[in-house]
Amino acid sequence: MKIEIWSDVMCPFCYIGKNNFEQALEKLPFKNEVEVEWKSFQLDPTLDPLQPQNTIEYFKEKKGLPADQTSQMIGQVAQMGKGAGIDFNFEKALIINTFSAHKLLHLAKKHGKANEMEEALFIAHFIDGKNVGDLEELISLAEKSGIDQEEARQALTSDQFDNEVNQDIQEAKNNGISGVPFFILNGKYAVSGAQPIEVFADALQQTYKETVSAFKDLSKEGGAACDINGC
């Protein structure tokens, strides 16, 4: 069963959704039959890739809210994070253009390490207060994940993965996805937002029952067929 997840590095609900989804999946007997593919999405592609901003100041400006209301909103998200086992550090988190971070994600995908890199990027942004738009910081994350420094530098300073990132973003538009996290389960069902563990578990079980299990049952019928060696 394949799960496609559209996400952006600087989306706190994407991190919460990731944790809840993974906790739900871990409890299911078919967890080893599930393939997860992370897809790129940019919440604010207009951000300057060279000018990081303070989170609180960014949301004050973006939403036009007073400082106390902005702090209250961020506090509520932080409380949600605690429920998912995440200690958000919004005071340190830097808002930046995430296109390069998504390029690194696609490089990691090439090495079969996309899930580890997605987690590393979330930690770097939300916990450690790192600039996930900075070239050297991203190269460091690549190295820690076991990816060669020079390969990472080449990928991040060229257009090698630009098409992949843009293709994910266009695919989101084609699917009517305007917010993240967004989960598509085996091409059949969609789950939007940082849902509770129970919701993810129910959606995964329903999808598995109606697609994978049904396919297995049909495949046992052993009807006549043709293969590469003939009929």
Side-chain angles (χ1 to χ4, degrees), residues 81-162:
K82 288 185 183 298
I86 304 167
D87 288 320
F88 284 115
N89 192 352
F90 288 112
E91 292 77 12
K92 292 175 63 178
L94 299 173
I95 302 296
I96 193 73
N97 189 297
T98 56
F99 195 87
S100 291
H102 286 296
K103 289 169 68 169
L104 180 59
L105 178 64
H106 277 276
L107 172 62
K109 187 185 295 188
K110 173 185 168 185
H111 289 273
K113 298 181 177 183
N115 201 62
E116 295 89 333
M117 184 57 70
E118 187 77 11
E119 180 71 16
L121 286 165
F122 279 138
I123 291 173
H125 177 68
F126 285 116
I127 310 300
D128 297 336
K130 302 294 185 180
N131 181 352
V132 293
D134 180 74
L135 175 63
E136 297 304 323
E137 183 60 44
L138 293 175
I139 290 172
S140 176
L141 289 177
E143 183 183 24
K144 290 175 183 175
S145 298
I147 299 173
D148 180 72
Q149 277 192 359
E150 287 309 310
E151 182 182 3
R153 187 178 298 277
Q154 171 63 26
L156 292 166
T157 57
S158 69
D159 61 359
Q160 182 179 351
F161 290 104
D162 287 22

Coordinates of all heavy atoms in Angstrom, one line a residue, residues 81-162:
G81 N 1.5 20.3 19.7 CA 2.8 19.6 19.4 C 3.1 18.7 20.6 O 3.5 17.5 20.4
K82 N 3.0 19.2 21.8 CA 3.3 18.4 23.0 C 2.4 17.1 23.0 O 2.9 16.0 23.4 CB 3.0 19.2 24.3 CG 4.1 20.3 24.5 CD 3.9 21.0 25.8 CE 4.8 22.1 26.0 NZ 6.3 21.6 26.0
G83 N 1.2 17.2 22.5 CA 0.3 16.0 22.5 C 0.8 15.0 21.5 O 0.4 13.8 21.6
A84 N 1.6 15.4 20.5 CA 2.2 14.5 19.5 C 3.6 14.2 19.8 O 4.3 13.5 19.0 CB 2.1 15.1 18.1
G85 N 4.1 14.6 21.0 CA 5.5 14.3 21.4 C 6.5 15.2 20.8 O 7.7 14.8 20.7
I86 N 6.1 16.4 20.5 CA 7.0 17.4 19.9 C 7.2 18.6 20.8 O 6.1 19.2 21.1 CB 6.6 17.8 18.5 CG1 6.4 16.6 17.5 CG2 7.6 18.8 17.8 CD1 5.6 17.0 16.3
D87 N 8.4 19.0 21.1 CA 8.6 20.3 21.8 C 9.0 21.4 20.9 O 10.2 21.6 20.6 CB 9.7 20.0 22.9 CG 9.2 19.2 24.1 OD1 8.0 19.4 24.5 OD2 9.9 18.3 24.6
F88 N 8.0 22.0 20.3 CA 8.4 23.1 19.3 C 9.1 24.2 20.0 O 8.9 24.6 21.2 CB 7.1 23.7 18.7 CG 6.4 22.8 17.7 CD1 5.2 22.2 17.9 CD2 7.0 22.6 16.5 CE1 4.6 21.5 16.9 CE2 6.5 21.8 15.5 CZ 5.2 21.2 15.7
N89 N 10.1 24.8 19.3 CA 10.9 25.9 19.8 C 10.7 27.1 18.8 O 11.6 27.4 18.1 CB 12.3 25.5 19.9 CG 13.2 26.5 20.6 OD1 12.7 27.6 21.0 ND2 14.4 26.1 20.9
F90 N 9.5 27.6 18.8 CA 9.1 28.7 17.9 C 9.9 29.9 18.0 O 10.1 30.7 17.1 CB 7.6 29.0 17.9 CG 6.7 27.9 17.4 CD1 5.9 27.2 18.2 CD2 6.7 27.7 16.0 CE1 5.1 26.2 17.7 CE2 5.9 26.7 15.5 CZ 5.1 26.0 16.3
E91 N 10.5 30.2 19.2 CA 11.3 31.3 19.5 C 12.6 31.3 18.6 O 13.1 32.4 18.2 CB 11.7 31.5 20.9 CG 10.5 31.8 21.9 CD 9.6 30.5 22.2 OE1 10.1 29.4 21.8 OE2 8.5 30.7 22.7
K92 N 13.0 30.1 18.3 CA 14.3 30.0 17.5 C 14.0 29.7 16.1 O 14.9 29.9 15.2 CB 15.1 28.9 18.1 CG 15.7 29.2 19.5 CD 16.5 28.0 20.0 CE 17.7 27.6 19.2 NZ 18.4 26.4 19.7
A93 N 12.8 29.2 15.7 CA 12.5 28.8 14.4 C 12.6 29.9 13.4 O 12.1 31.0 13.6 CB 11.1 28.1 14.3
L94 N 13.3 29.7 12.3 CA 13.5 30.7 11.3 C 12.7 30.5 10.0 O 12.8 29.4 9.4 CB 15.0 30.8 10.9 CG 16.0 31.1 12.0 CD1 17.4 31.0 11.5 CD2 15.7 32.5 12.5
I95 N 11.9 31.4 9.6 CA 11.1 31.3 8.4 C 11.9 31.7 7.2 O 12.6 32.7 7.2 CB 9.9 32.3 8.5 CG1 9.0 32.0 9.7 CG2 9.0 32.2 7.2 CD1 8.4 30.6 9.7
I96 N 11.9 30.8 6.2 CA 12.8 30.9 5.1 C 12.2 30.2 3.9 O 11.3 29.3 4.0 CB 14.2 30.4 5.4 CG1 15.2 30.8 4.3 CG2 14.2 28.9 5.5 CD1 15.6 32.2 4.4
N97 N 12.6 30.5 2.7 CA 12.1 29.8 1.5 C 12.7 28.4 1.6 O 13.8 28.1 1.8 CB 12.7 30.5 0.2 CG 12.1 29.9 -1.0 OD1 12.2 28.8 -1.4 ND2 11.4 30.8 -1.8
T98 N 11.8 27.4 1.4 CA 12.1 26.0 1.6 C 12.4 25.2 0.3 O 12.5 24.0 0.4 CB 11.0 25.3 2.3 OG1 9.7 25.4 1.6 CG2 10.8 25.9 3.7
F99 N 12.6 25.9 -0.8 CA 12.8 25.2 -2.1 C 14.0 24.3 -2.0 O 14.0 23.1 -2.4 CB 12.9 26.1 -3.2 CG 12.7 25.5 -4.6 CD1 11.5 25.2 -5.1 CD2 13.9 25.0 -5.3 CE1 11.4 24.6 -6.4 CE2 13.7 24.4 -6.5 CZ 12.5 24.2 -7.1
S100 N 15.1 24.8 -1.4 CA 16.4 24.1 -1.3 C 16.2 22.9 -0.4 O 16.8 21.8 -0.7 CB 17.5 24.9 -0.9 OG 17.9 25.9 -1.8
A101 N 15.5 23.0 0.7 CA 15.2 21.9 1.6 C 14.5 20.8 0.9 O 14.7 19.6 1.1 CB 14.4 22.4 2.8
H102 N 13.5 21.2 0.0 CA 12.8 20.2 -0.8 C 13.7 19.5 -1.8 O 13.6 18.3 -2.1 CB 11.6 20.8 -1.5 CG 10.5 21.1 -0.6 ND1 9.8 20.1 0.1 CD2 9.9 22.3 -0.2 CE1 8.9 20.7 0.9 NE2 8.9 22.0 0.7
K103 N 14.7 20.2 -2.3 CA 15.7 19.6 -3.2 C 16.5 18.5 -2.5 O 16.7 17.4 -3.0 CB 16.6 20.6 -3.8 CG 15.9 21.5 -4.8 CD 16.8 22.7 -5.2 CE 18.0 22.4 -6.0 NZ 18.7 23.5 -6.6
L104 N 16.8 18.8 -1.2 CA 17.6 17.9 -0.4 C 16.7 16.6 -0.1 O 17.2 15.5 -0.1 CB 18.0 18.5 0.9 CG 18.8 17.6 1.9 CD1 20.1 17.1 1.3 CD2 19.1 18.4 3.2
L105 N 15.4 16.9 0.1 CA 14.5 15.8 0.3 C 14.5 14.8 -0.9 O 14.5 13.6 -0.7 CB 13.1 16.3 0.6 CG 12.0 15.2 0.8 CD1 12.2 14.4 2.1 CD2 10.6 15.9 0.9
H106 N 14.5 15.4 -2.1 CA 14.5 14.5 -3.2 C 15.8 13.8 -3.4 O 15.8 12.6 -3.9 CB 14.1 15.3 -4.5 CG 12.6 15.5 -4.6 ND1 11.8 14.6 -5.2 CD2 11.8 16.5 -4.2 CE1 10.6 15.0 -5.2 NE2 10.5 16.2 -4.6
L107 N 16.9 14.4 -3.1 CA 18.2 13.7 -3.1 C 18.1 12.5 -2.1 O 18.6 11.4 -2.4 CB 19.3 14.7 -2.7 CG 20.7 14.0 -2.5 CD1 21.2 13.4 -3.8 CD2 21.7 15.1 -2.0
A108 N 17.6 12.8 -0.9 CA 17.5 11.7 0.1 C 16.6 10.6 -0.4 O 16.8 9.4 -0.2 CB 16.9 12.3 1.4
K109 N 15.5 11.0 -1.2 CA 14.6 10.0 -1.7 C 15.4 9.0 -2.7 O 15.1 7.8 -2.7 CB 13.5 10.7 -2.5 CG 12.4 9.7 -2.9 CD 11.3 10.5 -3.8 CE 10.5 11.5 -2.9 NZ 9.4 12.0 -3.7
K110 N 16.3 9.6 -3.4 CA 17.1 8.8 -4.4 C 17.9 7.8 -3.6 O 18.2 6.7 -4.1 CB 18.0 9.8 -5.1 CG 19.1 9.1 -6.0 CD 20.0 10.2 -6.6 CE 21.2 9.5 -7.2 NZ 22.2 10.5 -7.7
H111 N 18.3 8.1 -2.4 CA 19.1 7.2 -1.6 C 18.2 6.3 -0.6 O 18.7 5.6 0.2 CB 20.1 8.0 -0.7 CG 21.2 8.5 -1.5 ND1 22.4 7.8 -1.8 CD2 21.4 9.8 -2.1 CE1 23.2 8.6 -2.5 NE2 22.6 9.8 -2.8
G112 N 16.9 6.4 -0.8 CA 16.0 5.7 0.1 C 16.0 6.2 1.5 O 15.7 5.4 2.5
K113 N 16.2 7.5 1.7 CA 16.3 8.1 3.1 C 15.4 9.3 3.2 O 15.6 10.1 4.0 CB 17.7 8.5 3.4 CG 18.7 7.3 3.4 CD 20.1 7.8 3.7 CE 21.1 6.5 3.8 NZ 22.4 7.0 4.1
A114 N 14.3 9.3 2.4 CA 13.4 10.5 2.5 C 12.7 10.6 3.8 O 12.6 11.8 4.3 CB 12.3 10.3 1.4
N115 N 12.3 9.6 4.5 CA 11.6 9.7 5.7 C 12.6 10.2 6.8 O 12.2 11.1 7.6 CB 11.0 8.3 6.2 CG 9.9 8.5 7.2 OD1 8.9 9.1 6.9 ND2 10.1 8.0 8.4
E116 N 13.8 9.7 6.8 CA 14.8 10.2 7.8 C 15.1 11.6 7.5 O 15.3 12.4 8.5 CB 16.1 9.3 7.7 CG 15.9 7.9 8.1 CD 15.5 7.0 6.9 OE1 14.9 7.5 6.0 OE2 15.8 5.8 7.0
M117 N 15.2 12.1 6.3 CA 15.5 13.4 6.0 C 14.4 14.4 6.3 O 14.6 15.5 6.8 CB 15.9 13.6 4.5 CG 16.3 15.0 4.1 SD 17.7 15.6 5.1 CE 19.0 14.5 4.4
E118 N 13.1 13.9 6.1 CA 12.0 14.7 6.5 C 12.0 15.0 8.0 O 11.8 16.2 8.4 CB 10.7 14.0 6.1 CG 9.4 14.9 6.3 CD 9.2 15.9 5.2 OE1 9.9 15.8 4.2 OE2 8.4 16.8 5.3
E119 N 12.3 14.0 8.8 CA 12.4 14.2 10.2 C 13.6 15.1 10.6 O 13.4 16.0 11.4 CB 12.6 12.8 10.9 CG 12.7 12.8 12.4 CD 11.4 13.1 13.1 OE1 10.3 13.0 12.4 OE2 11.4 13.5 14.3
A120 N 14.7 14.9 9.9 CA 15.9 15.7 10.2 C 15.6 17.2 9.9 O 16.0 18.1 10.6 CB 17.1 15.2 9.4
L121 N 14.9 17.5 8.8 CA 14.6 18.9 8.5 C 13.6 19.5 9.5 O 13.7 20.6 9.8 CB 14.0 18.9 7.1 CG 15.0 18.7 5.9 CD1 14.2 18.4 4.6 CD2 15.8 19.9 5.7
F122 N 12.6 18.7 9.9 CA 11.7 19.2 10.9 C 12.4 19.5 12.2 O 12.2 20.6 12.8 CB 10.6 18.2 11.2 CG 9.5 18.1 10.2 CD1 8.9 16.9 9.8 CD2 8.9 19.3 9.8 CE1 7.9 16.9 8.9 CE2 7.9 19.3 8.8 CZ 7.3 18.1 8.4
I123 N 13.3 18.7 12.6 CA 14.1 18.9 13.9 C 15.0 20.1 13.7 O 15.0 21.0 14.6 CB 14.9 17.7 14.2 CG1 14.0 16.5 14.7 CG2 15.9 18.0 15.3 CD1 14.7 15.2 14.9
A124 N 15.6 20.2 12.6 CA 16.5 21.4 12.3 C 15.7 22.7 12.4 O 16.2 23.7 13.0 CB 17.2 21.2 11.0
H125 N 14.6 22.7 11.8 CA 13.8 23.9 11.7 C 13.1 24.2 13.1 O 13.2 25.3 13.6 CB 12.7 23.8 10.6 CG 11.8 25.0 10.5 ND1 12.3 26.3 10.2 CD2 10.5 25.2 10.8 CE1 11.2 27.1 10.2 NE2 10.2 26.5 10.6
F126 N 12.3 23.3 13.6 CA 11.4 23.5 14.7 C 12.1 23.4 16.1 O 11.6 23.9 17.1 CB 10.2 22.6 14.6 CG 9.2 23.1 13.6 CD1 8.9 22.2 12.5 CD2 8.5 24.3 13.7 CE1 8.0 22.6 11.6 CE2 7.6 24.7 12.8 CZ 7.3 23.9 11.7
I127 N 13.1 22.5 16.2 CA 13.7 22.3 17.5 C 15.0 23.0 17.7 O 15.3 23.7 18.7 CB 13.9 20.7 17.7 CG1 12.6 19.9 17.3 CG2 14.4 20.4 19.1 CD1 11.4 20.3 18.2
D128 N 15.9 22.9 16.6 CA 17.3 23.4 16.8 C 17.4 24.8 16.3 O 18.4 25.5 16.5 CB 18.2 22.5 16.0 CG 18.3 21.1 16.6 OD1 18.0 21.0 17.8 OD2 18.7 20.2 15.8
G129 N 16.4 25.4 15.6 CA 16.4 26.7 15.1 C 17.4 27.0 14.0 O 18.0 28.1 13.9
K130 N 17.7 25.9 13.2 CA 18.6 26.1 12.1 C 18.0 26.7 10.9 O 16.7 26.6 10.7 CB 19.2 24.7 11.7 CG 19.9 23.9 12.8 CD 21.1 24.6 13.3 CE 21.9 23.8 14.3 NZ 23.1 24.5 14.8
N131 N 18.8 27.3 10.0 CA 18.3 27.9 8.8 C 18.2 26.8 7.7 O 19.3 26.4 7.1 CB 19.2 29.0 8.4 CG 18.8 29.7 7.1 OD1 17.8 29.3 6.4 ND2 19.4 30.8 6.7
V132 N 17.1 26.3 7.4 CA 16.9 25.2 6.5 C 17.0 25.7 5.0 O 16.7 24.9 4.1 CB 15.7 24.3 6.7 CG1 15.8 23.6 8.0 CG2 14.4 25.2 6.6
G133 N 17.3 26.9 4.8 CA 17.5 27.4 3.5 C 19.0 27.7 3.2 O 19.4 28.0 2.1
D134 N 19.8 27.5 4.3 CA 21.3 27.7 4.2 C 22.0 26.5 3.5 O 21.8 25.3 4.0 CB 21.8 28.0 5.6 CG 23.4 28.2 5.5 OD1 23.8 29.3 5.1 OD2 24.1 27.3 5.9
L135 N 22.8 26.7 2.6 CA 23.5 25.6 1.8 C 24.3 24.8 2.7 O 24.2 23.5 2.7 CB 24.4 26.2 0.7 CG 25.2 25.2 -0.1 CD1 24.4 24.2 -0.8 CD2 26.2 26.0 -1.0
E136 N 25.2 25.4 3.6 CA 26.1 24.6 4.4 C 25.3 23.8 5.5 O 25.7 22.6 5.8 CB 27.1 25.5 5.1 CG 28.0 26.2 4.1 CD 28.8 25.2 3.2 OE1 29.1 24.1 3.6 OE2 29.0 25.6 2.0
E137 N 24.2 24.3 6.0 CA 23.4 23.6 6.9 C 22.7 22.4 6.3 O 22.7 21.3 6.9 CB 22.3 24.6 7.5 CG 21.4 23.9 8.5 CD 22.2 23.5 9.8 OE1 23.1 24.2 10.2 OE2 22.0 22.3 10.2
L138 N 22.2 22.5 5.1 CA 21.6 21.4 4.4 C 22.7 20.4 4.0 O 22.4 19.2 4.1 CB 20.9 21.9 3.1 CG 19.7 22.8 3.3 CD1 19.2 23.3 2.0 CD2 18.6 22.1 4.1
I139 N 23.8 20.8 3.6 CA 24.9 19.8 3.3 C 25.3 19.0 4.6 O 25.5 17.8 4.6 CB 26.1 20.5 2.8 CG1 25.8 21.0 1.4 CG2 27.4 19.6 2.7 CD1 26.9 21.9 0.8
S140 N 25.3 19.7 5.7 CA 25.5 19.0 7.0 C 24.5 18.0 7.3 O 24.8 16.9 7.8 CB 25.6 20.1 8.1 OG 25.8 19.5 9.4
L141 N 23.2 18.3 7.1 CA 22.1 17.4 7.3 C 22.3 16.2 6.4 O 22.0 15.0 6.8 CB 20.8 18.0 7.1 CG 20.3 19.1 8.1 CD1 19.0 19.7 7.7 CD2 20.2 18.5 9.5
A142 N 22.7 16.4 5.2 CA 22.9 15.3 4.2 C 24.0 14.4 4.7 O 23.8 13.2 4.7 CB 23.3 15.9 2.8
E143 N 25.1 15.0 5.2 CA 26.2 14.2 5.6 C 25.8 13.3 6.9 O 26.2 12.1 7.0 CB 27.4 15.1 6.0 CG 28.6 14.3 6.5 CD 29.8 15.2 6.9 OE1 29.5 16.4 7.3 OE2 30.9 14.8 6.9
K144 N 25.1 13.9 7.8 CA 24.6 13.2 9.0 C 23.7 12.0 8.6 O 23.5 11.1 9.3 CB 23.9 14.1 9.9 CG 24.8 15.1 10.6 CD 24.0 16.1 11.4 CE 25.0 17.2 12.1 NZ 24.2 18.2 12.8
S145 N 23.0 12.1 7.4 CA 22.2 11.1 6.9 C 22.9 10.0 6.1 O 22.3 9.1 5.6 CB 21.0 11.7 6.1 OG 20.2 12.6 6.9
G146 N 24.2 10.2 6.0 CA 25.0 9.3 5.2 C 25.1 9.6 3.7 O 25.5 8.7 2.9
I147 N 24.8 10.8 3.3 CA 24.9 11.2 1.9 C 26.2 12.0 1.7 O 26.5 12.9 2.5 CB 23.7 12.0 1.5 CG1 22.4 11.2 1.7 CG2 23.8 12.5 0.1 CD1 21.1 12.0 1.4
D148 N 26.9 11.7 0.7 CA 28.2 12.3 0.4 C 28.0 13.9 0.3 O 27.1 14.4 -0.4 CB 28.8 11.8 -0.9 CG 30.1 12.4 -1.3 OD1 31.1 12.1 -0.6 OD2 30.1 13.2 -2.2
Q149 N 28.9 14.6 0.9 CA 28.9 16.0 1.0 C 28.9 16.6 -0.4 O 28.1 17.6 -0.7 CB 30.1 16.6 1.7 CG 29.9 16.6 3.2 CD 31.0 17.4 3.9 OE1 31.9 17.9 3.3 NE2 30.9 17.5 5.2
E150 N 29.8 16.1 -1.3 CA 29.9 16.7 -2.6 C 28.7 16.4 -3.5 O 28.3 17.3 -4.3 CB 31.2 16.2 -3.3 CG 32.5 16.8 -2.7 CD 32.4 18.3 -2.7 OE1 32.1 19.0 -3.7 OE2 32.7 18.9 -1.6
E151 N 28.1 15.3 -3.3 CA 26.9 15.0 -4.0 C 25.8 15.9 -3.6 O 25.0 16.4 -4.4 CB 26.5 13.5 -3.8 CG 25.2 13.1 -4.6 CD 24.8 11.7 -4.3 OE1 25.4 11.0 -3.5 OE2 23.8 11.3 -4.9
A152 N 25.7 16.2 -2.3 CA 24.7 17.1 -1.8 C 24.9 18.5 -2.3 O 24.0 19.2 -2.7 CB 24.7 17.1 -0.2
R153 N 26.2 18.9 -2.3 CA 26.5 20.3 -2.8 C 26.1 20.4 -4.2 O 25.5 21.4 -4.6 CB 28.0 20.6 -2.6 CG 28.4 22.0 -2.9 CD 29.9 22.3 -2.6 NE 30.2 22.0 -1.2 CZ 30.1 23.0 -0.3 NH1 29.6 24.2 -0.6 NH2 30.4 22.7 1.0
Q154 N 26.4 19.4 -5.0 CA 26.1 19.5 -6.4 C 24.6 19.5 -6.6 O 24.1 20.3 -7.5 CB 26.7 18.2 -7.1 CG 26.2 18.0 -8.6 CD 26.7 19.1 -9.5 OE1 27.7 19.8 -9.3 NE2 25.9 19.3 -10.6
A155 N 23.9 18.7 -5.9 CA 22.4 18.7 -6.0 C 21.8 20.0 -5.6 O 20.8 20.5 -6.2 CB 21.8 17.6 -5.2
L156 N 22.3 20.6 -4.6 CA 21.7 21.9 -4.0 C 22.1 23.1 -4.8 O 21.4 24.1 -4.7 CB 22.1 22.0 -2.6 CG 21.5 21.0 -1.6 CD1 22.2 21.0 -0.3 CD2 20.0 21.2 -1.5
T157 N 23.2 23.1 -5.5 CA 23.7 24.3 -6.2 C 23.4 24.2 -7.7 O 23.8 25.0 -8.5 CB 25.2 24.5 -6.0 OG1 25.9 23.3 -6.4 CG2 25.5 24.8 -4.6
S158 N 22.7 23.1 -8.1 CA 22.3 23.0 -9.5 C 20.8 22.8 -9.6 O 20.1 22.9 -8.6 CB 23.0 21.7 -10.1 OG 22.4 20.5 -9.6
D159 N 20.3 22.6 -10.8 CA 18.9 22.4 -11.0 C 18.5 20.9 -11.1 O 17.5 20.6 -11.6 CB 18.4 23.1 -12.3 CG 19.1 22.6 -13.6 OD1 19.9 21.7 -13.5 OD2 18.7 23.1 -14.6
Q160 N 19.4 20.1 -10.6 CA 19.2 18.6 -10.7 C 17.8 18.1 -10.2 O 17.3 17.3 -10.9 CB 20.3 17.9 -9.9 CG 20.3 16.4 -10.0 CD 21.4 15.8 -9.2 OE1 22.3 16.4 -8.7 NE2 21.4 14.5 -9.0
F161 N 17.3 18.7 -9.1 CA 16.1 18.2 -8.6 C 15.0 19.3 -8.7 O 13.9 19.1 -8.1 CB 16.3 17.8 -7.1 CG 17.1 16.5 -7.0 CD1 18.4 16.5 -6.6 CD2 16.5 15.3 -7.3 CE1 19.1 15.4 -6.5 CE2 17.2 14.1 -7.2 CZ 18.5 14.1 -6.8
D162 N 15.2 20.3 -9.4 CA 14.2 21.4 -9.5 C 12.9 20.8 -10.1 O 11.8 21.2 -9.7 CB 14.7 22.5 -10.4 CG 15.7 23.4 -9.6 OD1 16.3 22.9 -8.7 OD2 15.9 24.6 -10.0

